[in-house]
Amino acid sequence: MESKRQQQFAKLIQQDLSDIFQKDMRTTFGKAFVTITDVKMTPDLAIARVYLSFMLANDKAGLLQDIREKSKHIRGILGNRIRNQARIIPNLEFFIDDTAEYAAQMDALISGLDIPPLKEGEEIEE
């Protein structure tokens, strides 16, 4: 469970990183569209775990590796943006957020189930 301070700082980081990825680094990733889905902070606010979602990207793992290689540059841009709002500029750790793909997979599994209808007078067993 994150503290309120962690949540507020994570929200600040998420907004600024979203802006950085959409404006400052747009040309870096080609036509791929990168969004920040979530940010989780460590209790000491020194590490931000950033979860990314990719659209129009053929090689998600390669793109994630490219982002990880540029994390110091991204951290520098972030530091310039939040230097008056934060004492510590957190180290950034990037991960792929695959919850949308997982949800689509679960939806496909559920829709593929063959559940026979109840016969008249039959009840559901619990």
Side-chain angles (χ1 to χ4, degrees):
M1 182 77 182
E2 288 185 326
S3 69
K4 187 170 182 165
R5 182 172 179 229
Q6 285 173 282
Q7 291 172 353
Q8 289 173 338
F9 196 54
K11 190 167 205 80
L12 172 71
I13 299 294
Q14 182 176 2
Q15 290 170 347
D16 285 325
L17 281 177
S18 293
D19 198 40
I20 289 168
F21 276 87
Q22 300 308 315
K23 294 179 181 170
D24 298 342
M25 302 191 74
R26 179 72 180 142
T27 57
T28 307
F29 309 122
K31 63 180 181 177
F33 187 70
V34 181
T35 55
I36 314 296
T37 57
D38 196 17
V39 175
K40 299 286 185 191
M41 298 300 303
T42 56
D44 62 355
L45 304 179
I47 299 173
R49 292 183 179 92
V50 182
Y51 295 89
L52 305 170
S53 174
F54 303 111
M55 296 175 76
L56 304 173
N58 298 330
D59 182 20
K60 292 180 182 180
L63 188 56
L64 179 65
Q65 185 61 33
D66 188 34
I67 291 170
R68 284 180 175 163
E69 289 170 3
K70 294 176 180 168
S71 66
K72 287 186 180 183
H73 175 67
I74 296 168
R75 184 175 183 248
I77 296 171
L78 177 66
N80 287 335
R81 286 178 181 250
I82 66 169
R83 68 175 173 237
N84 295 328
Q85 301 167 24
R87 268 190 310 162
I88 307 170
I89 308 304
N91 289 321
L92 304 173
E93 295 178 353
F94 295 100
F95 301 96
I96 293 177
D97 183 13
D98 56 358
T99 53
E101 293 170 5
Y102 181 75
Q105 185 181 18
M106 288 295 112
D107 192 39
L109 280 172
I110 291 170
S111 65
L113 291 176
D114 182 31
I115 302 173
L118 287 175
K119 296 178 183 169
E120 193 171 317
E122 229 179 5
E123 292 184 16
I124 299 176
E125 296 178 22
E126 293 184 27

